[in-house]
Amino acid sequence: MEPIRPESIPNPAVRRLSLYLRQLEAVQRKGRRTISSKQLGESLRLTDAQVRKDLAYFGQFGHPGIGYRVEDLILQLRKILGTDRTWNVLLVGAGNVGKALSSYRGFRAKGFQVVAVFDNDPSKVGRKLGAFTVRPLGEIQKAVEEFGARLAILAVPADNAQDVADQLIGAGIRGLLNFAPVSLSAPRDVAVSAVDVAVQLEQLAFQVTFL
Amino acid sequence: MEPIRPESIPNPAVRRLSLYLRQLEAVQRKGRRTISSKQLGESLRLTDAQVRKDLAYFGQFGHPGIGYRVEDLILQLRKILGTDRTWNVLLVGAGNVGKALSSYRGFRAKGFQVVAVFDNDPSKVGRKLGAFTVRPLGEIQKAVEEFGARLAILAVPADNAQDVADQLIGAGIRGLLNFAPVSLSAPRDVAVSAVDVAVQLEQLAFQVTFL
DNA sequence: GGATGTGAATGCATTCACAGCA
DNA sequence: TGCTGTGAATGCATTCACATCC
């Protein structure tokens, strides 16, 4: 098997990989052992050819006449995505979003673990948020080293988001999931992904109007 | 100005429209009156040509030699996206995510208002969630009519998500924002958008590993 | 000079369609 | 027969480059 050269793989294909994995985990829970590209694609509204081509970028996982073995493919995809081990994740922001995320039970099975929660608000520092004691932002650097964290979730107000992002990046964080409704600037070697619920509703509003 | 024919507009362009709008609202708060395609694009890491082409799909908003007038363009984009009026939104799921969303202050200014919260859990129905009294799912139909709601947010566990989605769609909801980590099936004339935090972390893990 | 809007050229991603294997 | 993997063909989206206007 050839090594992965991510620069030669379409970005959309990488994004779909996560959806395939999620789908496979669901069908595995239903006891299915094997699945064809057509079946894997249909609930995601993708063609069989799309599914096969996406997977083929990363290796030869299928069996002609059979399809893909669910368990094998799950293991392969986890390996490719890097979630065959657990990633320690820092969470900054102990507001409503931070609270929801800190108590989200689904992370562990997907290879992620929130290991510390931070906030700048003195009225929150030292308080408990679920199982975590909220720590001041000044301890981020220490926590990055302590936990070997490379990922962080940003759930602070829009005004602070860029500042906090800079701190996290300065402390060695390499991937950032941003819940603040602003576009963050970051060096090329730091990955940033974003969740903006208002933006998503806006897209739905447009589609509902015109489709 | 020609009418919008959404089928002739690249989907990515529509998605970027929301980002332009968010960016414009930010620079307006800073007091800027005018902005060039280059400036509008740079914090979003887009080329000036990309910005101009995207906007030109919807009309001629710019002024040669000047750029775009921030206030005008904001009004135009809101009109295009349909958020020059307020959309009433139903929220299903009174757990942690539902709680965070029901109290999110940012919706109003973007043209959205959560108007009712639902849950099936008898221990939650009748209880308060922020300003809302949690109502049983059976009242969804009534609420759709009462509020003229066409959008809903789904923040229920993965197992119920498809069932609840079917109820919402049956009651007349046309756009769905899904926080459950499953892929929903819906008729072609219902728009579905999704937030899956684990999937996004997975993508970051991949990028951090290979980029 | 400084900016837009836009055809034409390029570059990506998806789909087709089929050889080949179980 | 049933399904994968994959070049070739197609279809979209982005970028270029320039005529045009303030």
Side-chain angles (χ1 to χ4, degrees):
Chain A
M1 185 174 70
E2 298 165 22
I4 299 174
R5 282 184 305 280
E7 67 281 7
S8 71
I9 295 167
N11 248 293
V14 178
R15 282 197 293 275
R16 286 189 293 267
L17 232 49
S18 286
L19 303 183
Y20 298 146
L21 175 54
R22 195 180 66 181
Q23 199 67 19
L24 287 162
E25 286 164 343
V27 306
Q28 188 182 49
R29 281 193 293 273
K30 289 188 198 148
R32 225 174 191 306
R33 313 298 311 264
T34 190
I35 192 169
S36 72
S37 57
K38 187 149 188 292
Q39 295 165 330
L40 181 50
E42 64 194 6
S43 65
L44 299 167
R45 291 200 188 170
L46 301 170
T47 65
D48 53 338
Q50 178 83 85
V51 173
R52 289 199 301 280
K53 181 143 289 217
D54 285 347
L55 296 174
Y57 285 120
F58 299 92
Q60 306 212 145
F61 306 125
H63 305 274
I66 306 288
Y68 300 85
R69 291 197 225 290
V70 174
E71 186 177 359
D72 287 1
L73 189 49
I74 287 175
L75 293 174
Q76 295 285 355
L77 292 183
R78 284 190 186 142
K79 200 169 165 188
I80 292 164
L81 291 164
T83 53
D84 53 344
R85 64 177 192 87
T86 297
W87 293 70
N88 288 337
V89 179
L90 304 190
L91 171 57
V92 187
N96 284 311
V97 175
K99 189 175 178 183
L101 290 166
S102 73
S103 62
Y104 179 52
R105 281 279 170 270
F107 283 147
R108 197 175 18 75
K110 297 291 286 184
F112 300 99
Q113 174 129 17
V114 173
V115 291
V117 179
F118 302 86
D119 203 301
N120 242 352
D121 184 341
S123 75
K124 284 176 184 156
V125 172
R127 292 287 250 301
K128 279 278 178 185
L129 190 81
F132 301 98
T133 301
V134 178
R135 302 164 64 169
L137 294 206
E139 294 185 14
I140 284 175
Q141 175 77 61
K142 198 194 306 175
V144 167
E145 289 157 13
E146 180 184 351
F147 295 108
R150 292 198 283 166
L151 301 181
I153 302 176
L154 204 50
V156 302
D159 333 335
N160 317 231
Q162 185 64 60
D163 273 0
V164 176
D166 293 342
Q167 282 185 68
L168 286 163
I169 292 166
I173 288 294
R174 308 286 312 278
L176 219 41
L177 179 50
N178 175 33
F179 280 80
V182 294
S183 136
L184 296 178
S185 67
R188 209 73 76 197
D189 65 342
V190 173
V192 179
S193 179
V195 174
D196 187 327
V197 184
V199 161
Q200 301 216 53
L201 286 177
E202 217 165 60
Q203 291 290 307
L204 288 176
F206 179 85
Q207 292 183 66
V208 163
T209 304
F210 289 103
L211 266 57
Chain B
M1 186 175 68
E2 299 166 22
I4 299 175
R5 284 183 304 280
E7 66 281 9
S8 72
I9 296 167
N11 248 293
V14 178
R15 282 197 293 276
R16 285 189 295 267
L17 232 49
S18 287
L19 304 182
Y20 299 145
L21 175 54
R22 195 179 65 183
Q23 198 67 20
L24 287 162
E25 286 163 344
V27 307
Q28 189 182 48
R29 280 192 295 272
K30 288 187 197 148
R32 224 173 192 308
R33 314 296 313 262
T34 189
I35 191 169
S36 71
S37 57
K38 186 149 187 293
Q39 294 165 329
L40 182 49
E42 64 195 5
S43 65
L44 298 167
R45 293 203 188 168
L46 301 170
T47 65
D48 53 341
Q50 177 83 84
V51 173
R52 288 199 303 278
K53 183 144 286 222
D54 285 348
L55 295 175
Y57 285 120
F58 299 92
Q60 305 211 144
F61 307 125
H63 306 273
I66 307 286
Y68 301 86
R69 292 199 224 290
V70 173
E71 187 178 359
D72 287 0
L73 190 50
I74 287 175
L75 293 175
Q76 294 286 355
L77 292 183
R78 283 190 187 143
K79 199 168 165 191
I80 292 164
L81 290 164
T83 54
D84 52 345
R85 63 177 193 87
T86 297
W87 293 70
N88 288 337
V89 179
L90 305 190
L91 171 57
V92 187
N96 284 311
V97 175
K99 189 174 178 181
L101 289 167
S102 74
S103 62
Y104 179 52
R105 281 279 169 271
F107 283 146
R108 196 174 21 74
K110 298 290 285 182
F112 301 98
Q113 174 130 17
V114 174
V115 290
V117 179
F118 302 86
D119 203 302
N120 241 350
D121 184 341
S123 77
K124 285 176 182 154
V125 171
R127 292 288 251 301
K128 281 277 179 185
L129 191 79
F132 302 97
T133 301
V134 178
R135 301 163 65 170
L137 294 206
E139 295 184 14
I140 284 175
Q141 175 78 62
K142 199 191 308 174
V144 167
E145 289 156 13
E146 181 183 351
F147 296 107
R150 291 199 283 166
L151 302 180
I153 302 176
L154 204 50
V156 302
D159 332 338
N160 316 233
Q162 184 65 60
D163 273 0
V164 176
D166 293 343
Q167 282 184 70
L168 287 163
I169 293 165
I173 288 294
R174 309 285 314 276
L176 219 42
L177 179 51
N178 175 33
F179 280 81
V182 294
S183 136
L184 296 178
S185 66
R188 209 74 72 194
D189 65 343
V190 173
V192 180
S193 179
V195 174
D196 187 327
V197 184
V199 161
Q200 301 216 53
L201 286 176
E202 217 165 63
Q203 292 290 309
L204 287 176
F206 179 85
Q207 292 183 66
V208 164
T209 304
F210 289 102
L211 266 55

Short mmCIF file of all heavy atoms in Angstrom, two decimals, chain B residues 116-167:
data_model
loop_
_atom_site.label_atom_id
_atom_site.label_comp_id
_atom_site.label_asym_id
_atom_site.label_seq_id
_atom_site.Cartn_x
_atom_site.Cartn_y
_atom_site.Cartn_z
N ALA B 116 -40.01 28.16 20.27
CA ALA B 116 -40.57 27.11 21.12
C ALA B 116 -39.56 25.98 21.25
O ALA B 116 -38.76 25.73 20.34
CB ALA B 116 -41.87 26.57 20.53
N VAL B 117 -39.61 25.30 22.39
CA VAL B 117 -38.69 24.19 22.66
C VAL B 117 -39.50 22.94 22.98
O VAL B 117 -40.46 23.00 23.76
CB VAL B 117 -37.74 24.52 23.83
CG1 VAL B 117 -36.81 23.36 24.12
CG2 VAL B 117 -36.94 25.80 23.54
N PHE B 118 -39.09 21.83 22.39
CA PHE B 118 -39.81 20.57 22.56
C PHE B 118 -38.88 19.47 23.07
O PHE B 118 -37.67 19.49 22.80
CB PHE B 118 -40.40 20.12 21.21
CG PHE B 118 -41.32 21.13 20.62
CD1 PHE B 118 -40.83 22.16 19.82
CD2 PHE B 118 -42.69 21.06 20.86
CE1 PHE B 118 -41.68 23.10 19.28
CE2 PHE B 118 -43.55 22.02 20.32
CZ PHE B 118 -43.04 23.03 19.54
N ASP B 119 -39.47 18.52 23.78
CA ASP B 119 -38.72 17.33 24.16
C ASP B 119 -39.73 16.24 24.48
O ASP B 119 -40.87 16.51 24.83
CB ASP B 119 -37.82 17.61 25.38
CG ASP B 119 -36.66 16.64 25.46
OD1 ASP B 119 -36.91 15.41 25.52
OD2 ASP B 119 -35.50 17.09 25.44
N ASN B 120 -39.30 15.01 24.33
CA ASN B 120 -40.19 13.89 24.59
C ASN B 120 -40.07 13.38 26.02
O ASN B 120 -40.96 12.72 26.54
CB ASN B 120 -39.90 12.74 23.62
CG ASN B 120 -41.12 12.44 22.77
OD1 ASN B 120 -42.21 12.95 23.04
ND2 ASN B 120 -40.94 11.61 21.77
N ASP B 121 -38.95 13.68 26.64
CA ASP B 121 -38.70 13.20 28.00
C ASP B 121 -39.72 13.80 28.97
O ASP B 121 -39.75 15.02 29.16
CB ASP B 121 -37.27 13.61 28.38
CG ASP B 121 -36.86 13.08 29.74
OD1 ASP B 121 -37.76 12.72 30.54
OD2 ASP B 121 -35.66 13.02 30.00
N PRO B 122 -40.55 12.94 29.60
CA PRO B 122 -41.60 13.46 30.49
C PRO B 122 -41.02 14.26 31.65
O PRO B 122 -41.69 15.16 32.18
CB PRO B 122 -42.27 12.18 31.01
CG PRO B 122 -41.87 11.10 30.07
CD PRO B 122 -40.52 11.48 29.53
N SER B 123 -39.77 13.96 32.03
CA SER B 123 -39.17 14.70 33.14
C SER B 123 -38.77 16.11 32.72
O SER B 123 -38.44 16.94 33.55
CB SER B 123 -37.96 13.95 33.69
OG SER B 123 -36.85 14.11 32.82
N LYS B 124 -38.79 16.38 31.41
CA LYS B 124 -38.42 17.72 30.96
C LYS B 124 -39.64 18.54 30.52
O LYS B 124 -39.64 19.76 30.65
CB LYS B 124 -37.43 17.63 29.79
CG LYS B 124 -36.03 17.25 30.24
CD LYS B 124 -35.09 17.07 29.06
CE LYS B 124 -33.71 16.63 29.52
NZ LYS B 124 -33.00 15.88 28.46
N VAL B 125 -40.65 17.84 30.00
CA VAL B 125 -41.83 18.55 29.52
C VAL B 125 -42.47 19.33 30.67
O VAL B 125 -42.62 18.80 31.78
CB VAL B 125 -42.85 17.55 28.93
CG1 VAL B 125 -44.18 18.26 28.62
CG2 VAL B 125 -42.29 16.90 27.67
N GLY B 126 -42.80 20.57 30.42
CA GLY B 126 -43.42 21.41 31.44
C GLY B 126 -42.39 22.20 32.23
O GLY B 126 -42.71 23.25 32.78
N ARG B 127 -41.13 21.69 32.28
CA ARG B 127 -40.06 22.44 32.94
C ARG B 127 -39.66 23.65 32.10
O ARG B 127 -39.93 23.72 30.90
CB ARG B 127 -38.82 21.54 33.14
CG ARG B 127 -39.02 20.42 34.13
CD ARG B 127 -39.10 20.89 35.55
NE ARG B 127 -37.97 20.58 36.42
CZ ARG B 127 -37.49 19.39 36.72
NH1 ARG B 127 -37.93 18.31 36.13
NH2 ARG B 127 -36.54 19.25 37.62
N LYS B 128 -38.97 24.57 32.76
CA LYS B 128 -38.46 25.74 32.05
C LYS B 128 -37.08 25.45 31.45
O LYS B 128 -36.25 24.78 32.08
CB LYS B 128 -38.34 26.92 33.03
CG LYS B 128 -39.67 27.60 33.32
CD LYS B 128 -40.00 28.61 32.22
CE LYS B 128 -41.34 29.29 32.48
NZ LYS B 128 -41.73 30.18 31.36
N LEU B 129 -36.86 25.96 30.25
CA LEU B 129 -35.51 25.96 29.69
C LEU B 129 -35.25 27.42 29.29
O LEU B 129 -35.75 27.87 28.26
CB LEU B 129 -35.40 25.03 28.49
CG LEU B 129 -33.96 24.80 28.01
CD1 LEU B 129 -33.26 23.76 28.90
CD2 LEU B 129 -33.91 24.35 26.56
N GLY B 130 -34.50 28.10 30.13
CA GLY B 130 -34.36 29.54 29.91
C GLY B 130 -35.73 30.17 29.95
O GLY B 130 -36.51 29.95 30.89
N ALA B 131 -36.09 30.91 28.92
CA ALA B 131 -37.37 31.61 28.88
C ALA B 131 -38.51 30.72 28.39
O ALA B 131 -39.67 31.12 28.42
CB ALA B 131 -37.26 32.83 27.97
N PHE B 132 -38.18 29.49 27.97
CA PHE B 132 -39.18 28.63 27.35
C PHE B 132 -39.70 27.55 28.29
O PHE B 132 -38.94 27.02 29.10
CB PHE B 132 -38.61 27.96 26.11
CG PHE B 132 -38.11 28.92 25.08
CD1 PHE B 132 -36.77 29.26 25.01
CD2 PHE B 132 -39.00 29.51 24.19
CE1 PHE B 132 -36.31 30.16 24.07
CE2 PHE B 132 -38.55 30.42 23.24
CZ PHE B 132 -37.20 30.74 23.18
N THR B 133 -40.96 27.24 28.13
CA THR B 133 -41.50 26.05 28.78
C THR B 133 -41.44 24.91 27.78
O THR B 133 -41.93 25.03 26.66
CB THR B 133 -42.97 26.28 29.20
OG1 THR B 133 -43.03 27.39 30.10
CG2 THR B 133 -43.52 25.04 29.88
N VAL B 134 -40.80 23.82 28.18
CA VAL B 134 -40.61 22.70 27.27
C VAL B 134 -41.95 22.03 26.98
O VAL B 134 -42.70 21.70 27.90
CB VAL B 134 -39.63 21.66 27.85
CG1 VAL B 134 -39.48 20.47 26.92
CG2 VAL B 134 -38.27 22.33 28.10
N ARG B 135 -42.24 21.86 25.69
CA ARG B 135 -43.51 21.29 25.27
C ARG B 135 -43.29 19.89 24.69
O ARG B 135 -42.21 19.57 24.23
CB ARG B 135 -44.15 22.20 24.20
CG ARG B 135 -44.40 23.61 24.71
CD ARG B 135 -44.64 24.61 23.59
NE ARG B 135 -45.88 24.31 22.85
CZ ARG B 135 -46.41 25.14 21.97
NH1 ARG B 135 -45.82 26.31 21.69
NH2 ARG B 135 -47.52 24.83 21.34
N PRO B 136 -44.30 19.04 24.74
CA PRO B 136 -44.17 17.69 24.18
C PRO B 136 -44.16 17.72 22.65
O PRO B 136 -44.72 18.64 22.05
CB PRO B 136 -45.41 16.96 24.70
CG PRO B 136 -46.41 18.05 24.93
CD PRO B 136 -45.64 19.27 25.33
N LEU B 137 -43.56 16.70 22.06
CA LEU B 137 -43.45 16.68 20.60
C LEU B 137 -44.81 16.73 19.91
O LEU B 137 -44.92 17.22 18.78
CB LEU B 137 -42.72 15.40 20.13
CG LEU B 137 -41.25 15.24 20.51
CD1 LEU B 137 -40.55 14.34 19.51
CD2 LEU B 137 -40.53 16.57 20.61
N GLY B 138 -45.81 16.23 20.60
CA GLY B 138 -47.15 16.23 20.01
C GLY B 138 -47.65 17.61 19.64
O GLY B 138 -48.58 17.74 18.84
N GLU B 139 -47.04 18.62 20.21
CA GLU B 139 -47.52 19.98 19.94
C GLU B 139 -46.76 20.66 18.80
O GLU B 139 -46.97 21.84 18.52
CB GLU B 139 -47.42 20.83 21.21
CG GLU B 139 -48.36 20.35 22.31
CD GLU B 139 -48.35 21.25 23.54
OE1 GLU B 139 -47.83 22.38 23.45
OE2 GLU B 139 -48.86 20.81 24.59
N ILE B 140 -45.90 19.91 18.14
CA ILE B 140 -45.11 20.50 17.06
C ILE B 140 -46.01 21.04 15.95
O ILE B 140 -45.86 22.18 15.52
CB ILE B 140 -44.11 19.47 16.48
CG1 ILE B 140 -42.93 19.29 17.44
CG2 ILE B 140 -43.61 19.90 15.10
CD1 ILE B 140 -41.95 18.21 17.03
N GLN B 141 -46.95 20.21 15.53
CA GLN B 141 -47.85 20.63 14.45
C GLN B 141 -48.51 21.96 14.77
O GLN B 141 -48.50 22.90 13.96
CB GLN B 141 -48.92 19.54 14.24
CG GLN B 141 -49.98 19.90 13.24
CD GLN B 141 -49.48 19.74 11.81
OE1 GLN B 141 -49.12 18.63 11.41
NE2 GLN B 141 -49.44 20.83 11.06
N LYS B 142 -49.04 22.01 15.98
CA LYS B 142 -49.71 23.24 16.42
C LYS B 142 -48.76 24.43 16.36
O LYS B 142 -49.12 25.52 15.89
CB LYS B 142 -50.22 23.04 17.87
CG LYS B 142 -51.29 24.02 18.28
CD LYS B 142 -51.56 23.95 19.79
CE LYS B 142 -51.82 22.53 20.28
NZ LYS B 142 -51.94 22.45 21.75
N ALA B 143 -47.53 24.23 16.84
CA ALA B 143 -46.56 25.33 16.89
C ALA B 143 -46.15 25.79 15.50
O ALA B 143 -45.95 26.98 15.26
CB ALA B 143 -45.34 24.91 17.69
N VAL B 144 -46.02 24.84 14.57
CA VAL B 144 -45.67 25.22 13.20
C VAL B 144 -46.71 26.20 12.66
O VAL B 144 -46.37 27.22 12.06
CB VAL B 144 -45.59 23.97 12.28
CG1 VAL B 144 -45.55 24.39 10.82
CG2 VAL B 144 -44.36 23.14 12.63
N GLU B 145 -47.97 25.88 12.93
CA GLU B 145 -49.04 26.75 12.45
C GLU B 145 -49.06 28.07 13.22
O GLU B 145 -49.13 29.15 12.63
CB GLU B 145 -50.39 26.04 12.56
CG GLU B 145 -50.52 24.91 11.54
CD GLU B 145 -51.52 23.84 11.95
OE1 GLU B 145 -52.30 24.08 12.89
OE2 GLU B 145 -51.48 22.74 11.35
N GLU B 146 -48.96 27.95 14.53
CA GLU B 146 -49.02 29.14 15.39
C GLU B 146 -47.96 30.17 15.01
O GLU B 146 -48.23 31.37 14.95
CB GLU B 146 -48.82 28.68 16.84
CG GLU B 146 -48.89 29.79 17.87
CD GLU B 146 -48.59 29.25 19.28
OE1 GLU B 146 -48.52 28.00 19.44
OE2 GLU B 146 -48.43 30.07 20.20
N PHE B 147 -46.74 29.68 14.74
CA PHE B 147 -45.62 30.61 14.51
C PHE B 147 -45.25 30.74 13.03
O PHE B 147 -44.33 31.46 12.67
CB PHE B 147 -44.39 30.17 15.29
CG PHE B 147 -44.57 30.22 16.78
CD1 PHE B 147 -44.70 29.05 17.52
CD2 PHE B 147 -44.61 31.44 17.45
CE1 PHE B 147 -44.87 29.10 18.89
CE2 PHE B 147 -44.78 31.50 18.82
CZ PHE B 147 -44.92 30.32 19.55
N GLY B 148 -45.91 30.00 12.17
CA GLY B 148 -45.51 30.01 10.77
C GLY B 148 -44.07 29.57 10.59
O GLY B 148 -43.37 30.05 9.70
N ALA B 149 -43.63 28.65 11.44
CA ALA B 149 -42.22 28.24 11.41
C ALA B 149 -41.93 27.36 10.21
O ALA B 149 -42.71 26.46 9.87
CB ALA B 149 -41.86 27.49 12.69
N ARG B 150 -40.81 27.63 9.54
CA ARG B 150 -40.39 26.75 8.44
C ARG B 150 -39.04 26.10 8.72
O ARG B 150 -38.61 25.22 7.99
CB ARG B 150 -40.34 27.56 7.14
CG ARG B 150 -41.74 27.97 6.69
CD ARG B 150 -41.78 28.35 5.24
NE ARG B 150 -41.24 29.66 5.02
CZ ARG B 150 -40.90 30.14 3.80
NH1 ARG B 150 -41.04 29.37 2.74
NH2 ARG B 150 -40.43 31.37 3.67
N LEU B 151 -38.38 26.56 9.78
CA LEU B 151 -37.07 26.01 10.14
C LEU B 151 -37.11 25.38 11.53
O LEU B 151 -37.85 25.83 12.40
CB LEU B 151 -36.00 27.11 10.14
CG LEU B 151 -35.78 27.89 8.85
CD1 LEU B 151 -34.69 28.93 9.06
CD2 LEU B 151 -35.41 26.95 7.72
N ALA B 152 -36.31 24.32 11.70
CA ALA B 152 -36.21 23.71 13.03
C ALA B 152 -34.79 23.26 13.28
O ALA B 152 -34.05 22.92 12.35
CB ALA B 152 -37.17 22.53 13.14
N ILE B 153 -34.44 23.26 14.56
CA ILE B 153 -33.14 22.74 14.99
C ILE B 153 -33.38 21.44 15.75
O ILE B 153 -34.23 21.37 16.64
CB ILE B 153 -32.40 23.74 15.89
CG1 ILE B 153 -32.20 25.07 15.16
CG2 ILE B 153 -31.07 23.16 16.34
CD1 ILE B 153 -31.55 26.14 16.02
N LEU B 154 -32.62 20.42 15.39
CA LEU B 154 -32.77 19.10 15.96
C LEU B 154 -31.59 18.83 16.89
O LEU B 154 -30.45 18.71 16.43
CB LEU B 154 -32.77 18.10 14.81
CG LEU B 154 -33.42 16.76 14.98
CD1 LEU B 154 -34.82 16.94 15.54
CD2 LEU B 154 -33.48 16.06 13.64
N ALA B 155 -31.88 18.75 18.19
CA ALA B 155 -30.80 18.52 19.15
C ALA B 155 -31.19 17.39 20.09
O ALA B 155 -31.19 17.54 21.31
CB ALA B 155 -30.50 19.81 19.92
N VAL B 156 -31.54 16.27 19.46
CA VAL B 156 -31.97 15.08 20.23
C VAL B 156 -30.93 13.98 20.05
O VAL B 156 -30.08 14.08 19.17
CB VAL B 156 -33.35 14.59 19.74
CG1 VAL B 156 -34.39 15.69 19.87
CG2 VAL B 156 -33.28 14.09 18.29
N PRO B 157 -30.99 12.92 20.87
CA PRO B 157 -30.02 11.82 20.70
C PRO B 157 -30.15 11.17 19.32
O PRO B 157 -31.21 11.22 18.69
CB PRO B 157 -30.42 10.83 21.81
CG PRO B 157 -31.12 11.66 22.83
CD PRO B 157 -31.83 12.73 22.06
N ALA B 158 -29.07 10.55 18.89
CA ALA B 158 -28.99 9.98 17.55
C ALA B 158 -30.13 9.00 17.27
O ALA B 158 -30.67 8.98 16.15
CB ALA B 158 -27.64 9.28 17.37
N ASP B 159 -30.53 8.21 18.25
CA ASP B 159 -31.54 7.17 18.02
C ASP B 159 -32.88 7.76 17.61
O ASP B 159 -33.60 7.18 16.80
CB ASP B 159 -31.77 6.32 19.28
CG ASP B 159 -30.55 6.24 20.16
OD1 ASP B 159 -29.44 6.46 19.64
OD2 ASP B 159 -30.71 5.98 21.36
N ASN B 160 -33.24 8.89 18.20
CA ASN B 160 -34.55 9.50 17.88
C ASN B 160 -34.51 10.43 16.69
O ASN B 160 -35.56 10.85 16.21
CB ASN B 160 -35.05 10.37 19.03
CG ASN B 160 -34.88 9.76 20.39
OD1 ASN B 160 -35.80 9.67 21.12
ND2 ASN B 160 -33.70 9.34 20.76
N ALA B 161 -33.33 10.79 16.25
CA ALA B 161 -33.21 11.92 15.33
C ALA B 161 -34.09 11.73 14.09
O ALA B 161 -34.83 12.64 13.69
CB ALA B 161 -31.75 12.15 14.95
N GLN B 162 -34.03 10.55 13.47
CA GLN B 162 -34.79 10.36 12.24
C GLN B 162 -36.29 10.45 12.50
O GLN B 162 -37.03 11.07 11.72
CB GLN B 162 -34.43 9.02 11.59
CG GLN B 162 -35.11 8.79 10.25
CD GLN B 162 -34.65 9.78 9.18
OE1 GLN B 162 -33.47 9.86 8.84
NE2 GLN B 162 -35.59 10.57 8.66
N ASP B 163 -36.73 9.85 13.58
CA ASP B 163 -38.16 9.91 13.95
C ASP B 163 -38.63 11.34 14.11
O ASP B 163 -39.65 11.75 13.56
CB ASP B 163 -38.40 9.17 15.27
CG ASP B 163 -38.66 7.70 15.05
OD1 ASP B 163 -38.64 7.27 13.87
OD2 ASP B 163 -38.86 6.98 16.04
N VAL B 164 -37.86 12.09 14.89
CA VAL B 164 -38.25 13.48 15.15
C VAL B 164 -38.22 14.28 13.85
O VAL B 164 -39.11 15.10 13.59
CB VAL B 164 -37.33 14.11 16.21
CG1 VAL B 164 -37.68 15.58 16.40
CG2 VAL B 164 -37.45 13.36 17.52
N ALA B 165 -37.19 14.02 13.03
CA ALA B 165 -37.11 14.72 11.74
C ALA B 165 -38.36 14.45 10.93
O ALA B 165 -38.94 15.37 10.33
CB ALA B 165 -35.86 14.27 10.98
N ASP B 166 -38.80 13.20 10.91
CA ASP B 166 -40.00 12.86 10.14
C ASP B 166 -41.21 13.61 10.67
O ASP B 166 -42.03 14.12 9.89
CB ASP B 166 -40.25 11.34 10.21
CG ASP B 166 -39.18 10.54 9.49
OD1 ASP B 166 -38.44 11.14 8.67
OD2 ASP B 166 -39.05 9.34 9.75
N GLN B 167 -41.31 13.71 11.98
CA GLN B 167 -42.43 14.47 12.55
C GLN B 167 -42.39 15.92 12.13
O GLN B 167 -43.42 16.51 11.77
CB GLN B 167 -42.38 14.41 14.09
CG GLN B 167 -42.90 13.11 14.68
CD GLN B 167 -42.91 13.17 16.20
OE1 GLN B 167 -43.70 13.89 16.80
NE2 GLN B 167 -42.02 12.42 16.83
#
